[in-house]
């Protein structure tokens, strides 16, 4: 299985995120990708390929142009107003009692285009985020050329990014960008399966009224866990997309005995949908020692996930999302991929 990765994805490195009432070290760090890459090379997973630049058009197929403009210019605007000593973080949001109007000032625009304060913008965020999106697109192109599977080692991740908001360490929705690109290249039906610990709220929102893209997510119950305000089991799609969204929330403490039936339900629905290609938002923060998660999957569970996905017999694009137990993230992420390859 070929791996697509760009060195530019290492450049984005936030100094801190707001959590537990304080500014904390950011857990979404470049070393995550380095550990996955090292493990992939150790087991001989496949060739590492640099992505091509697909330009802005595939991004605009998923994201609002004004949001992309904001991401591209945010650091320069922040630096001009506040200097470059600290990362850009929002401090106010257009909540229910306020108007949803995009301000001119960078502090207001940060809140307008952000879900929360865990996702700092740095001097290199735009370069890394676009490199991450190009990584997903280049891996999707391998499938379009006939490959059985490909791994987009995306970093920063993407599944929390909506059409016009960043959040949860995500800026551009890599999985959605790749899925839409595959649709435009002739795949009549695309399934997106998100196995990250956190619900893929951005991907769901982007495709919620679409019957041509099935979105399924296994994740921690949003009554207990981020993103809190999306990911409930009664969210089934809207309009033409009704019935093409499936959420399978699980309680804190879920281990393989709880996760496996959810995965079975997900793969069964995918088989019924009969897509031409499968995009997997691959999060391994379901691991028992992940620092920001409360599931209990052990490392031997991840190859089982890969084998289950392989049984669908579909061209499959793996797009890296979360997983923050840095010492084990390579073993767990590559475990899914080798489980898929060996099935």
């Amino acid at each position: 299985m070929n791996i697509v990765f760009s060195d530019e994805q290492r450049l984005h490195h936030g100094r801190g995120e707001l959590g537990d009432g304080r500014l904390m070290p950011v857990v979404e760090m470049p070393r995550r990708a380095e550990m996955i890459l090292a493990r992939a090379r150790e087991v001989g997973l496949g060739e590492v390929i640099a992505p091509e630049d697909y330009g802005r058009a595939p991004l605009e197929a998923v994201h609002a142009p004004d949001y992309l403009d904001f991401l591209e210019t945010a650091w320069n605007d922040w630096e001009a107003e506040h200097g470059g000593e600290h990362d850009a973080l929002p401090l106010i949001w257009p909540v229910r009692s306020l108007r949803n109007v995009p301000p001119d000032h960078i502090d207001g625009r940060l809140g307008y285009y952000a879900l929360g304060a865990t996702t700092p913008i740095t001097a290199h965020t735009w370069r890394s985020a676009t490199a991450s999106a190009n990584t997903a697109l280049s891996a999707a192109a391998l499938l379009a050329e006939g490959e059985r599977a490909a791994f987009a080692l995306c970093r920063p991740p993407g599944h929390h990014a909506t059409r016009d908001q960043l959040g949860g360490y995500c800026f551009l929705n890599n999985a959605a960008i790749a899925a839409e690109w595959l649709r435009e290249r002739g795949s009549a039906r695309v399934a997106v399966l998100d196995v990250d610990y956190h619900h893929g709220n951005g991907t769901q929102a982007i495709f919620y009224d679409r019957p041509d893209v099935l979105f399924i997510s296994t994740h921690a119950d949003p009554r207990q866990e981020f993103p809190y305000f999306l990911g409930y089991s009664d969210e089934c799609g809207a309009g033409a997309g009704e019935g093409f969204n499936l959420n399978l929330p699980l309680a804190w403490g879920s281990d393989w005995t709880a996760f496996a039936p959810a995965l079975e339900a997900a793969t069964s629905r995918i088989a019924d949908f009969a897509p031409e290609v499968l995009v997997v938002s691959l999060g391994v923060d379901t691991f028992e020692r992940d620092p920001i998660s409360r599931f209990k999957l052990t490392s031997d569970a991840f190859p089982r996930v890969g084998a289950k996905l392989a049984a669908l017999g579909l061209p499959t694009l793996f797009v890296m999302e979360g997983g923050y137990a840095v010492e084990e993230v390579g073993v767990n992420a590559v475990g899914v991929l080798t489980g898929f390859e060996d099935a």
Side-chain angles (χ1 to χ4, degrees), residues 15-38:
R15 297 179 178 96
E17 63 177 274
L18 187 63
D20 297 336
R22 59 192 173 91
L23 199 62
M24 306 168 56
V26 177
V27 299
E28 202 294 289
M29 62 185 71
R31 191 158 176 260
R32 296 175 59 245
E34 293 161 6
M35 294 296 284
I36 296 168
L37 199 60

Side-chain angles (χ1 to χ4, degrees), residues 28-105:
E28 202 294 289
M29 62 185 71
R31 191 158 176 260
R32 296 175 59 245
E34 293 161 6
M35 294 296 284
I36 296 168
L37 199 60
R39 179 62 176 176
R41 285 171 167 151
E42 181 183 343
V43 304
L45 182 66
E47 183 181 356
V48 179
I49 301 169
E52 296 182 14
D53 186 351
Y54 283 75
R56 183 157 159 152
L59 311 184
E60 289 191 353
V62 166
H63 292 289
D66 61 297
Y67 172 64
L68 298 174
D69 292 342
F70 162 75
L71 283 180
E72 188 171 6
T73 61
W75 177 257
N76 288 340
D77 293 345
W78 172 267
E79 189 175 36
E81 182 67 25
H82 298 290
E85 184 179 354
H86 302 289
D87 296 340
L89 285 170
L91 54 79
I92 187 169
W93 290 266
V95 295
R96 287 186 295 273
S97 60
L98 298 177
R99 290 185 63 191
N100 197 27
V101 179
D104 293 333
H105 194 277

Side-chain angles (χ1 to χ4, degrees), residues 288-303:
E288 61 181 344
R289 291 194 294 277
D290 195 276
I292 63 170
S293 308
R294 302 200 190 188
F295 278 3
K296 299 297 180 184
L297 267 63
T298 54
S299 289
D300 62 358
F302 295 102

Side-chain angles (χ1 to χ4, degrees), residues 8 10-15 70-80 83-89 119-130 156 171:
E8 289 201 338
R10 293 184 169 99
L11 298 176
H12 167 76
H13 193 180
R15 297 179 178 96
F70 162 75
L71 283 180
E72 188 171 6
T73 61
W75 177 257
N76 288 340
D77 293 345
W78 172 267
E79 189 175 36
E85 184 179 354
H86 302 289
D87 296 340
L89 285 170
T119 311
I121 292 177
T122 77
H124 303 297
T125 295
W126 176 248
R127 285 179 64 188
S128 289
T130 52
F171 302 95

Side-chain angles (χ1 to χ4, degrees), residues 128-160:
S128 289
T130 52
S132 192
N134 282 321
T135 289
L137 288 163
S138 297
L142 294 175
L143 266 63
E145 294 165 5
E147 294 291 329
R148 174 188 180 226
F151 176 40
L153 179 45
C154 290
R155 190 264 155 195
H159 69 151
H160 293 307

Side-chain angles (χ1 to χ4, degrees), residues 249-272:
L250 299 168
W252 278 348
S254 291
D255 58 10
W256 180 251
T257 61
F259 188 86
L263 184 62
E264 175 65 34
T267 54
S268 177
R269 179 68 183 93
I270 291 168
D272 291 342

